[in-house]
Amino acid sequence: MTFLTHFSVQPLSSMTRRLAGVASGRADPDLVIAGARVLSTYSERVLPGREIWLWGGRIAAVKPAGTYKGGTARIYDARGGIVAPGLVDPHIHIESSMVTACAYAEAALLNGTTTLFCDSHEIGNVMDVAGIEAMLEDARLAPLSIFLTVPSTVPATSPLLETAGGDLTAEKVGALFDKWPEAVALGEKMDFVPVAMGDERSHAILAAALKRGRPVSGHVYGREFVSAYAASGVTDTHEAIDREIADDMLEAGIWLFLRGGPPTTPWHSLPAAIKTITELGASHKRVAVCTDDRDADDLMLFGLDWVTREAMKAGMTPEQAWAMGSLHRATRFGMEGEIGGLGGGRRADLVLLDDGFDPVSTWYGGELVVDDGKITPLLDQALSTRYRYPDAAYHTVKLPKQIKLTPDLPTGKVVAHTIRTELPGITLGHQKITLDPANGWQNHFDRHGLCFVTVVERHGKSDGNVAYGLLSNFTLRRGAVASSVGHDSHNIIIAGLNEADMQVALRAIEETQGGVCVVVDGKVTAMVELPIAGLLSDKRVTEVAEEVKILKREWEAAGCCIPYMGFNLIPLSVIPEIRITDKGLVLVPEMEIVPAFEAA
Amino acid sequence: MTFLTHFSVQPLSSMTRRLAGVASGRADPDLVIAGARVLSTYSERVLPGREIWLWGGRIAAVKPAGTYKGGTARIYDARGGIVAPGLVDPHIHIESSMVTACAYAEAALLNGTTTLFCDSHEIGNVMDVAGIEAMLEDARLAPLSIFLTVPSTVPATSPLLETAGGDLTAEKVGALFDKWPEAVALGEKMDFVPVAMGDERSHAILAAALKRGRPVSGHVYGREFVSAYAASGVTDTHEAIDREIADDMLEAGIWLFLRGGPPTTPWHSLPAAIKTITELGASHKRVAVCTDDRDADDLMLFGLDWVTREAMKAGMTPEQAWAMGSLHRATRFGMEGEIGGLGGGRRADLVLLDDGFDPVSTWYGGELVVDDGKITPLLDQALSTRYRYPDAAYHTVKLPKQIKLTPDLPTGKVVAHTIRTELPGITLGHQKITLDPANGWQNHFDRHGLCFVTVVERHGKSDGNVAYGLLSNFTLRRGAVASSVGHDSHNIIIAGLNEADMQVALRAIEETQGGVCVVVDGKVTAMVELPIAGLLSDKRVTEVAEEVKILKREWEAAGCCIPYMGFNLIPLSVIPEIRITDKGLVLVPEMEIVPAFEAA
């Protein structure tokens, strides 16, 4: 049996003669999906009474039902179900699912997603080009079509504001484009303030993409930045958080990727942003949907198929929504001749839907990989052959022997610059709290609803840089929580109520070379081990999903007011208003460091 | 003053820092178009109260009216008019206008067209790669953005069925892609029967484009061929002649370019084909409009702006129609970051419209080239510096000294396979007429409504191949008409009532090395001289338009039932049902030669 990857289907250029023969009826297809309705992402209609002729992993033709009169082709009876093109996720960070690309494929195919565009800037922040290239090798072995939007903003800000493992210069970005055909665009250019201000390094990276004719993905907050951002060559974004900025972006020539996510997380901006269409009357033709970040657990329940159905709930017709989930991104990157619709010559990446637009079966490159909601033996076999990351990827948490994790108690009256956490959790508030002298930290915590937050540099670039701060309203009731996934530099972030539990959390992560954990009374009560770059498990997605379920349960029991994925964003110093990195507290968009405490 | 060409505007990659500065208000634009409404091809709305800030020939930002507070920028008052992106013609043969690319630019800009995709297969049929490259050099000097869809079907059929000057193999096509960045796609693959049948040469040419990631344009008649055509990698077509085939094509994943043209010519298929949208409910997002062929005279009156307004008349909103005229083709080729809308960073190719969507003024790369319906001195200067075609292009009509232009009178009863002409004139009927013995041809002509049609090989590849046939219903009343534009091999086609007038027409064309003429009683009464490749004038478009007007008057006076552009298609042996080439009468789609006369 052929090993199933993106490369199992031959290029169209070598297949046109045979496909023309099949479409003309002179040669047999090898598979006919019979008795189907077809969801056309081209015309945005559902066409009744169709059958789909496949050969060599591509679509030869869609014909009226009953046209195939029998021969050597296998027949799959769709029993009147809806056949649609596989979904295309236009913007995703695989690392957020804490699994490898190979492992991610399993969840994607179960959700009807057959192509994705990943921005591997997490592993790039830890391991620089070596990490990105390892993940590309991983992706090449996956039973899924995975393209790269080259990480553009590593580090997310500058060495003055944080210490990252990676440093992706314009030269390195250009070299990635030149070496890897999978590198189809520049990934989200997150440093929107420097971009708008004309920063030289930022624009050199933009130029590395634009000079090569590659489009640029963006990430911007604030309507006042949109026009400068578009003028800098950014032509898509997934960060529209409301109707007005979504509308501004569309008009500035920026494709919108509406991000949907579990309603309890900060990722569900789709319902607000889609109102540019449903309330302001904009065309949906330059709008797609995406997931962006999904942990292993949520991935099984809130995949791109779910986001697509959310678009239907928000007022799009099912046909429009499915086009937003597949064809539109393919179009945006000039790949609609390969994917995104059921046209002749396209890859046979298909999904069979029930009447609620829930995926039932999935074909990848003409091979049945999910049948009636379950993975097939073929896919199971493909998933058992996995990429092994290089040894260096398993050794990325480098800490000094001794680190103090909590600040000294102020002796006088001070103003603390605290980070206020609250749902949905993406933006964080800058809350100044006056602390009168007290006997211990616990008095402050009790009075003001605070806890410690500490970031420790882990790339071995400093002798254990450590920065202290306070979280307000995080509502942690006991122990500590910690993570080696601390966007985007992925230093270790720890929140806690006491030094001892925070030390246990830090050393647990050092021991496993990465992970997210909850500690209570000196004991680790939940831990997702992430030994690859401190970001990824090397288990299958279903196993990781189980581990994440337990983590979430303990996380919630510890009282944290935002989920662990929001917690991981606390060091991400490109989102307002205040964040903490290993260099200290950073104000955004001012991009200034402020001390944790100032004399009152 | 800078010489105005496509290259006058610098690449975006070198301009992003400054454009971001202008959009942010830190630097001055160099032009502000104030007091405008903006037609957004992105959202398909007209936005009131806007101003457009330009710098360096690109759009820095669209801002609310009144944002610019004064500075060094020039101000252009749009007086409340509608500013829209310049039109993009997705499929055109410049040669049909009988002018050079430089000359064509004048008419295009007057029509609000700022970019076009030309398929120079006419000059390719005459001069092979040398002709295509000469026209590319011509295009590089034009004040217009001209891209090439590489001629794919030269000769249109095969050396068995016609003698062409060019022979574009897959290797030559590949070399054109590799040498010329303007070569963005494969031009219309017209030999749809061989394509569907899996012909080796045809598919090697398709592969030359697909292997390089270049899309393929098509040309197909007959619903039964659509699926094989799509399976062969064809992803656009401009030949949808009715609602049903248009619908089939859309569903097969083929972009539709709806062709509009003067209602009296065969080019106006838009009103029928657009019904896939207006009656069958298909989305218009993969639909554009195009002109395909336009003579110099019609070009001034029936440009792409006219076609766009025809789409409005046929039921599209003005915003949808303008998007079909600009953005959609840019999107189809992944060029929407450069053209097709008023997004940041785009080329400032703009048109100011009145409330009837008639172009009033045009900016090309930020320069005002048409103002209030008249070309500006800047454009006039640009048009005065013209490309000179190589000498070989002026010597392409090679004829033997003696050629007999009419067939011998049959002595017995015969069946004549005649070509029946009638409006609209693209397809031609195969009419078998029994001829009883007669005293002279005139008797047959009078009785059956016939005249001679003769094709003479002119590339010097044979010793004057000549083929005879009869036209029925052509209604020529006197003399002869002739043309060195005889699609696609561009041998000389002559229709006439007698040998003498036909000889005068032939030798007149030889004398000028190309042209279209009308002869009455031994005298040339009208002649458009086409000395470049026998296809192009070397005059300005306004002069050629005047010559064409006279030609049309005389053509009509001669009684011809189809216009001269339809006449030029009579040798085009890829359109049903019967055509005539220098090798004889060709049946389409059978692709067989039949004798002109068979014993009854």
Side-chain angles (χ1 to χ4, degrees):
Chain A
M1 192 167 277
T2 318
F3 187 56
L4 185 67
T5 70
H6 177 62
F7 307 97
S8 304
V9 176
Q10 298 304 304
L12 178 60
S13 58
S14 67
M15 291 170 63
T16 56
R17 293 180 71 195
R18 176 63 188 253
L19 286 170
V22 174
S24 301
R26 294 192 311 278
D28 249 342
D30 46 31
L31 174 64
V32 172
I33 302 174
R37 286 171 287 164
V38 158
L39 191 156
S40 169
T41 51
Y42 303 128
S43 67
E44 300 181 352
R45 295 176 300 200
V46 170
L47 312 170
R50 293 294 197 276
E51 61 190 33
I52 303 128
W53 295 5
L54 311 186
W55 184 81
R58 291 187 181 272
I59 297 168
V62 175
K63 301 269 184 180
T67 306
Y68 187 65
K69 299 301 181 198
T72 60
R74 285 169 291 129
I75 308 289
Y76 183 99
D77 184 357
R79 298 177 196 185
I82 299 168
V83 175
L87 294 169
V88 177
D89 203 333
H91 177 72
I92 183 179
H93 307 285
I94 290 176
E95 298 98 316
S96 296
S97 303
M98 302 187 293
V99 293
T100 64
C102 284
Y104 187 94
E106 180 173 2
L109 293 170
L110 281 163
N111 294 335
T113 302
T114 48
T115 302
L116 58 84
F117 294 78
C118 80
D119 179 346
S120 50
H121 74 195
E122 314 305 355
I123 201 164
N125 264 288
V126 176
M127 294 178 62
D128 203 83
V129 170
I132 294 164
E133 295 197 325
M135 190 167 254
L136 279 163
E137 295 287 1
D138 178 12
R140 284 189 171 183
L141 284 185
L144 195 70
S145 299
I146 300 178
F147 295 93
L148 177 72
T149 61
V150 177
S152 63
T153 320
V154 175
T157 56
S158 83
L160 294 175
L161 297 178
E162 61 188 315
T163 308
D167 178 26
L168 284 182
T169 60
E171 291 67 34
K172 291 181 189 174
V173 165
L176 281 165
F177 277 124
D178 294 338
K179 180 172 173 185
W180 295 87
E182 290 93 334
V184 296
L186 191 69
E188 56 177 320
K189 196 86 198 79
M190 301 194 300
D191 52 339
F192 59 95
V193 178
V195 167
M197 295 302 291
D199 175 75
E200 204 162 331
R201 173 184 162 117
S202 301
H203 282 261
I205 291 169
L206 293 168
L210 294 171
K211 270 193 285 197
R212 289 170 172 82
R214 298 308 208 294
V216 175
S217 296
H219 158 125
V220 64
Y221 285 84
R223 294 178 72 183
E224 67 274 27
F225 291 104
V226 170
S227 67
Y229 219 50
S232 301
V234 172
T235 43
D236 73 49
T237 173
H238 54 279
E239 296 287 356
I241 56 168
D242 61 30
R243 183 182 82 163
E244 279 63 34
I245 198 168
D247 210 54
D248 289 349
M249 286 169 170
L250 266 188
E251 290 306 356
I254 294 175
W255 290 74
L256 282 187
F257 303 151
L258 302 176
R259 180 175 52 197
T264 56
T265 69
W267 277 262
H268 203 43
S269 44
L270 180 146
I274 204 167
K275 293 178 181 170
T276 178
I277 304 168
T278 55
E279 292 182 0
L280 301 182
S283 167
H284 68 291
K285 68 187 175 183
R286 291 167 63 85
V287 181
V289 292
C290 76
T291 61
D292 197 1
D293 297 284
R294 214 54 114 237
D295 71 24
D297 177 25
D298 288 343
L299 181 57
M300 312 300 278
L301 299 170
F302 301 96
L304 191 58
D305 60 322
W306 178 86
V307 184
T308 305
R309 290 189 301 271
E310 287 295 298
M312 299 175 197
K313 279 191 204 161
M316 309 307 297
T317 69
E319 297 85 354
Q320 290 172 330
W322 206 268
M324 289 161 66
S326 53
L327 181 66
H328 291 193
R329 173 64 182 231
T331 303
R332 184 263 188 284
F333 282 117
M335 295 171 73
E336 51 85 21
E338 264 306 274
I339 54 173
L342 301 193
R346 270 67 168 183
R347 286 181 58 96
D349 296 341
L350 307 173
V351 54
L352 176 63
L353 302 168
D354 65 19
D355 279 1
F357 297 91
D358 244 316
V360 174
S361 300
T362 306
W363 290 261
Y364 178 65
E367 300 287 352
L368 190 63
V369 287
V370 175
D371 194 16
D372 204 11
K374 296 200 169 47
I375 68 170
T376 61
L378 174 73
L379 178 57
D380 198 46
Q381 185 217 34
L383 292 169
S384 67
T385 314
R386 300 272 299 283
Y387 175 73
R388 159 94 195 171
Y389 278 73
D391 282 350
Y394 283 85
H395 298 92
T396 64
V397 176
K398 297 161 190 163
L399 301 176
K401 293 225 166 95
Q402 301 276 336
I403 312 177
K404 185 168 179 294
L405 295 177
T406 53
D408 293 333
L409 187 69
T411 50
K413 185 171 176 175
V414 297
V415 170
H417 293 273
T418 75
I419 300 172
R420 182 173 175 83
T421 56
E422 60 190 350
L423 289 174
I426 287 202
T427 57
L428 297 172
H430 177 191
Q431 186 176 11
K432 294 181 203 176
I433 297 177
T434 302
L435 302 181
D436 292 315
N439 285 338
W441 280 111
Q442 195 61 48
N443 295 38
H444 294 308
F445 295 176
D446 292 343
R447 188 169 310 155
H448 300 288
L450 299 172
C451 71
F452 297 121
V453 63
T454 300
V455 173
V456 181
E457 193 271 316
R458 62 112 158 171
H459 302 293
K461 289 201 168 178
S462 68
D463 190 27
N465 262 355
V466 58
Y468 306 119
L470 298 174
L471 295 180
S472 75
N473 193 44
F474 188 56
T475 62
L476 182 68
R477 281 197 299 266
R478 57 188 188 187
V481 295
S483 174
S484 60
V485 183
H487 294 272
D488 274 346
S489 287
H490 301 301
N491 289 306
I492 294 174
I493 175 168
I494 315 163
L497 294 169
N498 62 76
E499 174 86 24
D501 284 336
M502 290 169 77
Q503 288 286 354
V504 169
L506 180 71
R507 296 306 166 182
I509 286 174
E510 182 183 32
E511 172 75 21
T512 54
Q513 284 292 300
V516 187
C517 65
V518 179
V519 171
V520 178
D521 297 337
K523 292 220 170 67
V524 176
T525 58
M527 172 76 150
V528 180
E529 296 184 12
L530 304 172
I532 302 172
L535 299 173
L536 307 178
S537 171
D538 48 11
K539 299 175 185 164
R540 269 174 77 157
V541 67
T542 43
E543 296 172 77
V544 179
E546 285 308 308
E547 294 179 5
V548 169
K549 268 198 184 66
I550 295 166
L551 175 76
K552 286 178 175 173
R553 194 186 63 209
E554 294 300 317
W555 192 275
E556 210 179 308
C560 309
C561 93
I562 57 172
Y564 83 93
M565 283 185 79
F567 176 76
N568 288 347
L569 296 178
I570 290 177
L572 184 54
S573 53
V574 292
I575 305 181
E577 299 170 3
I578 186 169
R579 328 295 293 195
I580 182 168
T581 74
D582 66 307
K583 295 290 179 92
L585 291 162
V586 180
L587 299 184
V588 184
E590 298 83 354
M591 307 317 275
E592 289 168 11
I593 290 184
V594 287
F597 310 104
E598 288 182 301
Chain B
M1 189 166 280
T2 318
F3 187 56
L4 185 66
T5 70
H6 176 62
F7 307 96
S8 304
V9 176
Q10 297 304 303
L12 177 59
S13 58
S14 67
M15 291 169 64
T16 56
R17 292 181 71 195
R18 175 64 187 254
L19 287 170
V22 174
S24 301
R26 295 191 311 277
D28 249 341
D30 46 32
L31 175 63
V32 172
I33 302 174
R37 286 171 287 164
V38 157
L39 191 155
S40 168
T41 51
Y42 302 129
S43 67
E44 300 181 354
R45 296 176 299 199
V46 171
L47 311 170
R50 293 294 196 277
E51 61 189 34
I52 303 128
W53 295 6
L54 312 186
W55 184 80
R58 291 187 181 272
I59 297 169
V62 176
K63 300 270 186 182
T67 306
Y68 188 66
K69 299 299 180 199
T72 61
R74 287 170 288 129
I75 308 289
Y76 183 99
D77 185 356
R79 298 178 196 184
I82 299 168
V83 175
L87 294 169
V88 177
D89 204 333
H91 176 73
I92 183 181
H93 307 285
I94 290 176
E95 299 99 316
S96 296
S97 304
M98 302 185 295
V99 293
T100 64
C102 284
Y104 187 94
E106 181 172 2
L109 294 170
L110 281 163
N111 294 334
T113 303
T114 48
T115 302
L116 60 84
F117 294 78
C118 80
D119 179 345
S120 50
H121 74 197
E122 315 304 355
I123 202 165
N125 264 288
V126 176
M127 294 177 63
D128 203 83
V129 169
I132 294 164
E133 295 197 325
M135 190 167 253
L136 280 164
E137 295 288 1
D138 178 12
R140 284 188 171 183
L141 285 185
L144 196 70
S145 299
I146 299 179
F147 295 92
L148 177 72
T149 61
V150 177
S152 63
T153 320
V154 175
T157 56
S158 84
L160 293 175
L161 296 179
E162 61 188 316
T163 307
D167 177 26
L168 284 181
T169 60
E171 291 68 33
K172 291 180 189 174
V173 166
L176 281 165
F177 277 123
D178 294 338
K179 180 172 173 184
W180 295 87
E182 291 93 334
V184 295
L186 191 68
E188 56 177 321
K189 196 86 198 77
M190 300 195 300
D191 53 339
F192 59 96
V193 178
V195 166
M197 295 302 291
D199 176 75
E200 204 162 333
R201 172 183 163 117
S202 301
H203 283 261
I205 290 170
L206 293 169
L210 295 172
K211 271 193 284 196
R212 289 169 173 83
R214 299 307 207 294
V216 175
S217 296
H219 158 125
V220 63
Y221 285 84
R223 295 179 71 183
E224 68 275 27
F225 291 104
V226 170
S227 67
Y229 219 50
S232 301
V234 172
T235 43
D236 73 49
T237 174
H238 54 278
E239 296 287 356
I241 56 169
D242 61 30
R243 183 182 81 163
E244 279 65 34
I245 198 169
D247 211 54
D248 289 349
M249 286 169 170
L250 267 187
E251 291 305 357
I254 294 175
W255 290 74
L256 282 187
F257 302 152
L258 300 176
R259 180 175 53 197
T264 56
T265 68
W267 277 261
H268 203 44
S269 44
L270 180 145
I274 205 169
K275 293 178 181 169
T276 178
I277 303 168
T278 55
E279 292 182 1
L280 300 182
S283 167
H284 68 291
K285 68 187 176 185
R286 292 167 62 86
V287 180
V289 293
C290 76
T291 61
D292 196 1
D293 297 285
R294 212 57 112 236
D295 70 25
D297 178 25
D298 288 343
L299 181 58
M300 311 301 276
L301 300 170
F302 302 96
L304 191 58
D305 60 322
W306 177 86
V307 184
T308 305
R309 290 190 300 271
E310 286 295 299
M312 299 174 196
K313 278 192 205 160
M316 308 308 297
T317 69
E319 296 86 353
Q320 290 172 330
W322 206 269
M324 289 161 65
S326 53
L327 180 66
H328 291 192
R329 172 65 180 229
T331 303
R332 185 263 188 283
F333 282 117
M335 295 171 73
E336 51 86 22
E338 267 302 276
I339 55 172
L342 301 193
R346 271 67 168 184
R347 286 181 58 96
D349 296 341
L350 307 173
V351 55
L352 176 63
L353 303 169
D354 66 19
D355 280 2
F357 298 90
D358 243 315
V360 175
S361 300
T362 306
W363 290 263
Y364 178 65
E367 300 287 353
L368 189 63
V369 287
V370 175
D371 195 16
D372 205 9
K374 296 201 169 46
I375 67 170
T376 62
L378 175 73
L379 178 58
D380 199 45
Q381 184 218 35
L383 293 168
S384 67
T385 313
R386 300 272 299 282
Y387 175 73
R388 159 92 195 170
Y389 277 73
D391 283 349
Y394 283 84
H395 298 92
T396 63
V397 176
K398 297 160 190 164
L399 301 176
K401 294 225 167 96
Q402 301 277 335
I403 312 176
K404 184 167 179 293
L405 294 177
T406 52
D408 293 334
L409 188 68
T411 50
K413 185 172 176 174
V414 295
V415 171
H417 293 272
T418 76
I419 300 173
R420 183 173 176 84
T421 57
E422 61 191 348
L423 289 173
I426 288 203
T427 57
L428 297 171
H430 178 190
Q431 186 176 13
K432 294 181 204 174
I433 297 177
T434 302
L435 302 181
D436 290 317
N439 286 337
W441 279 111
Q442 195 61 48
N443 294 40
H444 294 309
F445 294 175
D446 292 343
R447 186 169 312 155
H448 300 288
L450 300 172
C451 72
F452 296 121
V453 62
T454 300
V455 173
V456 181
E457 193 270 320
R458 63 112 158 170
H459 302 293
K461 289 202 167 176
S462 69
D463 191 26
N465 261 354
V466 59
Y468 306 119
L470 299 175
L471 296 180
S472 75
N473 192 45
F474 188 55
T475 61
L476 181 69
R477 280 197 298 267
R478 56 189 188 189
V481 294
S483 175
S484 60
V485 183
H487 293 271
D488 275 346
S489 288
H490 301 301
N491 290 306
I492 295 172
I493 175 167
I494 315 162
L497 294 169
N498 62 77
E499 175 86 24
D501 284 336
M502 291 169 77
Q503 288 287 354
V504 169
L506 180 72
R507 296 304 166 183
I509 287 174
E510 183 183 31
E511 172 76 20
T512 53
Q513 284 292 299
V516 187
C517 66
V518 179
V519 171
V520 179
D521 296 337
K523 291 221 171 68
V524 175
T525 58
M527 172 76 150
V528 180
E529 296 184 11
L530 304 173
I532 301 171
L535 299 173
L536 307 178
S537 172
D538 48 12
K539 299 175 184 163
R540 269 174 77 157
V541 68
T542 44
E543 296 172 76
V544 179
E546 285 308 308
E547 294 179 5
V548 169
K549 269 197 183 66
I550 296 166
L551 176 75
K552 285 178 175 174
R553 194 186 63 209
E554 294 300 318
W555 191 275
E556 210 178 308
C560 309
C561 93
I562 57 173
Y564 83 94
M565 282 186 80
F567 176 76
N568 287 346
L569 296 179
I570 291 177
L572 184 55
S573 52
V574 292
I575 305 182
E577 298 170 1
I578 186 169
R579 327 296 292 196
I580 182 167
T581 74
D582 67 307
K583 296 289 181 92
L585 292 163
V586 180
L587 299 184
V588 184
E590 298 84 352
M591 308 315 275
E592 290 168 9
I593 290 183
V594 287
F597 309 104
E598 288 181 301

